[in-house]
Amino acid sequence: MDNYQCGDIEAIAMLRDLTERPFAVEPMSYAAGCAFIDDDYVSLRDAKLPLMDWGFTRGDACQDTISVRGGNFFRLHDHVVRFEDSCRTLRYACPFTREQIVSVMRECVRRTGLTEATVQIIMTRGAGPTGSRDPRECRHRFMAYCVPFITVAKAEQLAQGLSVHISNRWRLPSETVPSEIKNYHWIDFTLALFDAYEHDCDSALLLGKHGLITEGPGFNVFALFDDRLVTPGENVLAGITRRTVFELCVELGIRHREGPLLPEDLARASEIFASTTAGGLVPIVRIDETTIGDGGPGPLTSRLRDLYWRKRDAGWYATPVYEELENGE
Ligand code: PLP
């Protein structure tokens, strides 16, 4: 079954066989994750999207991803505001108020019992009358889920650094879908990841207009030149971690700016790192064949990364997940 490939007649027959066998009923378990869908909390395994939801058939969806560490959401307000902005831009009417969204998020985490978690809130266009192609007829759908903390790379890569391939693929231009929407248009990223693997790299960076570097699958990128950090300012998601890095730079007196970056600029940077909710600050130690610095996490990257986690552990921008419930119970 592990080697099942689409179109493999034998495997499909086996699958059919399996579906005809009665399954042992397992007690509802949230350990692997809890989801909220269609006004109900279900285990992650039971969270199902109707086939006709435009979120699936047209990638017509937006989301936001929030981390929980030590039982605290990080920058909860900023994430929810970004989510609301995405919904507004896509003309979704979210049926929930900000307070209700937060209480759904809390409940998803609470049911898993996790203290280190990833929470995602999602809106899709939903579905309309069968055959209708009019988006105004769709009934929008809000969903959320909580799973154990997810990172953009394996633990060893987070610690020691990523190798990144610069793909020739263009990131979806802002003129097509505004970059500020945290969207599910990931085919460019996914194909770029295949490019990366074929070039013996862990991840990818995509180009945009004028051959400029944009971002990678799930992360913004920073590069250090002399004593100044530069991050692309166009055709990228305004990452919450990216904003956090700016604030850390102010605290440490590090010069930083948004600006254009060409692939050849990256090759001469002394340090490069990715910024993402899914792992914080992640060193990038090789760009294709070029080793960055001495091939390990650079001193400034390490300093910023340590400060990021230290401040988070000390309660920076923290909103307790469980407090409200404990107080209310
Ligand atoms: N860019 C893209 C395309 C992303 O999907 C993400 C996060 O998932 C980021 C950047 C980083 O954003 P944040 O720091 O808000 O997690």
Side-chain angles (χ1 to χ4, degrees):
M1 287 302 293
D2 285 353
N3 295 328
Y4 165 67
Q5 291 194 335
C6 191
D8 181 331
I9 303 287
E10 255 181 47
I12 290 171
M14 278 170 71
L15 268 181
R16 227 184 258 132
D17 223 48
L18 269 180
T19 54
E20 278 156 16
R21 258 181 253 157
F23 284 104
V25 180
E26 284 174 26
M28 172 104 98
S29 162
Y30 293 116
C34 173
F36 176 84
I37 182 165
D38 293 337
D39 297 335
D40 208 3
Y41 293 96
V42 292
S43 72
L44 192 69
R45 205 188 55 184
D46 294 324
K48 300 206 168 64
L49 192 65
L51 179 63
M52 289 302 162
D53 192 304
W54 286 28
F56 171 65
T57 59
R58 298 182 179 192
D60 193 338
C62 70
Q63 56 102 351
D64 222 285
T65 305
I66 303 96
S67 63
V68 173
R69 181 172 167 94
N72 290 309
F73 291 113
F74 183 58
R75 301 195 81 142
L76 177 64
H77 176 77
D78 295 325
H79 280 284
V80 176
V81 166
R82 185 172 68 178
F83 179 67
E84 288 172 342
D85 287 344
S86 297
C87 290
R88 227 182 335 271
T89 310
L90 290 178
R91 299 172 177 234
Y92 297 145
C94 181
F96 294 96
T97 62
R98 187 177 294 178
E99 290 68 32
Q100 286 169 327
I101 291 172
V102 169
S103 81
V104 166
M105 292 166 71
R106 280 185 197 282
E107 185 59 18
C108 283
V109 184
R110 196 185 70 82
R111 289 193 186 215
T112 64
L114 292 166
T115 53
E116 317 296 310
T118 295
V119 177
Q120 194 164 99
I121 43 181
I122 305 161
M123 276 295 296
T124 67
R125 184 75 57 201
T130 307
S132 168
R133 303 176 77 84
D134 184 342
R136 293 168 303 183
E137 294 186 330
C138 288
R139 191 158 168 266
H140 307 162
R141 180 176 266 116
F142 170 79
M143 288 161 271
Y145 69 81
C146 170
V147 290
F149 186 54
I150 290 173
T151 55
V152 282
K154 295 180 190 133
E156 186 193 312
Q157 295 168 330
L158 293 183
Q160 286 162 21
L162 289 175
S163 55
V164 169
H165 167 63
I166 298 185
S167 171
N168 285 326
R169 273 171 221 287
W170 274 33
R171 175 61 180 143
L172 191 74
S174 308
E175 288 79 0
T176 305
V177 175
S179 302
E180 68 264 23
I181 301 167
K182 202 158 156 52
N183 59 58
Y184 276 152
H185 291 272
W186 266 54
I187 293 179
D188 48 5
F189 282 144
T190 302
L191 292 177
L193 277 173
F194 280 108
D195 297 339
Y197 304 146
E198 276 153 24
H199 286 81
D200 192 26
C201 286
D202 304 319
S203 193
L205 277 167
L206 273 66
L207 299 179
K209 263 192 292 187
H210 313 300
L212 295 174
I213 298 286
T214 62
E215 58 188 346
F219 58 84
N220 294 112
V221 66
F222 284 80
L224 181 67
F225 304 96
D226 300 321
D227 59 350
R228 191 200 289 266
L229 272 175
V230 182
T231 188
E234 284 181 19
N235 205 177
V236 295
L237 181 74
I240 303 282
T241 320
R242 178 179 182 269
R243 191 192 309 176
T244 307
V245 170
F246 291 157
E247 292 172 20
L248 294 176
C249 284
V250 171
E251 185 171 331
L252 292 178
I254 296 163
R255 298 200 308 150
H256 58 284
R257 71 177 176 92
E258 292 183 348
L261 282 178
L262 288 163
E264 52 268 37
D265 295 330
L266 286 189
R268 61 176 185 80
S270 52
E271 296 185 33
I272 304 178
F273 62 85
S275 67
T276 172
T277 295
L281 280 65
V282 184
I284 294 177
V285 295
R286 177 162 65 82
I287 297 281
D288 287 305
E289 272 83 49
T290 307
T291 301
I292 305 301
D294 64 5
L300 184 71
T301 305
S302 301
R303 205 168 148 219
L304 284 166
R305 180 173 61 175
D306 292 350
L307 185 62
Y308 171 81
W309 291 116
R310 245 197 350 264
K311 284 179 75 88
R312 282 197 59 175
D313 287 340
W316 195 39
Y317 286 123
T319 304
V321 173
Y322 295 96
E323 196 173 74
E324 187 190 77
L325 293 158
E326 279 157 12
N327 290 342
E329 274 169 6

